[in-house]
Amino acid sequence: MDKKELDLCLQEVAKGDAAAFERLYKETSKGIFAFLYGYCNNYHTAEDLTQTVYLKVKANISKYKAGTDARAWLFQIAKYTALNEIKKIKREVVASDEQTDRFEAKTYEMQDSPVFDAINSVLDDKERQIVILHVLWGFKHREIADMLSLALGTVLWKYNAAIKKLQNKLKEG
């Protein structure tokens, strides 16, 4: 779904169109999941957060301004949802090893794909986010820098380093 289609879809969702919301979810949820996974590194947590993002989208759709960057709006909701979850976890008293592992799990094989396996095994969190945002979602490096509050040079450097790591990993496998 390109920027214009996504913008129109959100406008339809704002009008209460359930089919448009279903299409929005179908077309964007995998990318939102992958983005959130970059924050929490846990499949189940990323799934839960993805659902939360779409509940927030539905609840806040009236705040979306038609004609703006719909992808950026979705990712801002996702980013703040993830950051709020991280803050919540930090405030919780750790009662078990399972809770501790919630945000420390560093490995996960996503959807039987060697590329996603490589992404999850060789890239750090920021590199993973940058690659997913650029490659899967088509964001420009400058947009990614703004979203992640990083310098453009840092985003470019991390992206290039991540691509080299992925190429090396895929050549090995």
Side-chain angles (χ1 to χ4, degrees):
M1 182 180 294
D2 68 19
K3 288 181 180 182
K4 188 174 182 177
E5 290 173 325
L6 187 55
D7 179 58
L8 293 173
C9 188
L10 284 175
Q11 290 176 47
E12 292 300 314
V13 170
K15 293 176 186 173
D17 185 341
F21 184 77
E22 186 177 331
R23 181 172 175 236
L24 172 73
Y25 182 82
K26 184 179 177 185
E27 296 283 334
T28 62
S29 62
K30 287 181 182 177
I32 294 293
F33 171 86
F35 178 75
L36 291 167
Y37 186 83
Y39 277 95
C40 62
N41 296 318
N42 181 286
Y43 180 84
H44 299 292
T45 302
E47 274 186 330
D48 291 344
L49 292 177
T50 299
Q51 298 304 314
T52 301
V53 166
Y54 287 94
L55 291 172
K56 288 181 178 183
V57 165
K58 204 163 196 177
N60 295 296
I61 193 67
S62 63
K63 296 177 183 174
Y64 174 70
K65 293 180 178 140
T68 61
D69 190 344
R71 292 181 307 165
W73 188 75
L74 285 173
F75 278 106
Q76 283 294 85
I77 292 172
K79 176 183 174 182
Y80 289 116
T81 299
L83 293 175
N84 287 338
E85 179 69 9
I86 290 168
K87 286 178 190 174
K88 178 180 151 191
I89 295 300
K90 285 181 180 179
R91 285 189 299 250
E92 289 178 355
V93 176
V94 179
S96 70
D97 288 342
E98 186 176 318
Q99 280 183 318
T100 303
D101 293 340
R102 188 170 180 185
F103 279 89
E104 292 179 354
K106 296 294 180 190
T107 57
Y108 169 72
E109 293 181 31
M110 188 190 264
Q111 307 289 328
D112 299 324
S113 169
V115 174
F116 279 112
D117 183 40
I119 286 171
N120 288 320
S121 65
V122 300
L123 301 183
D124 67 33
D125 294 343
K126 286 292 180 205
E127 290 171 336
R128 186 179 310 117
Q129 288 174 337
I130 291 167
V131 168
I132 288 169
L133 287 170
H134 184 68
V135 175
L136 294 181
W137 281 87
F139 281 101
K140 295 177 181 166
H141 294 292
R142 182 169 303 286
E143 294 171 319
I144 296 168
D146 291 341
M147 288 170 110
L148 301 178
S149 302
L150 296 172
L152 177 59
T154 301
V155 169
L156 291 168
W157 181 81
K158 286 185 175 288
Y159 177 77
N160 289 324
I163 295 301
K164 286 178 187 172
K165 286 181 185 180
L166 289 173
Q167 287 172 337
N168 290 336
K169 176 68 175 175
L170 293 172
K171 284 178 187 176
E172 291 173 7

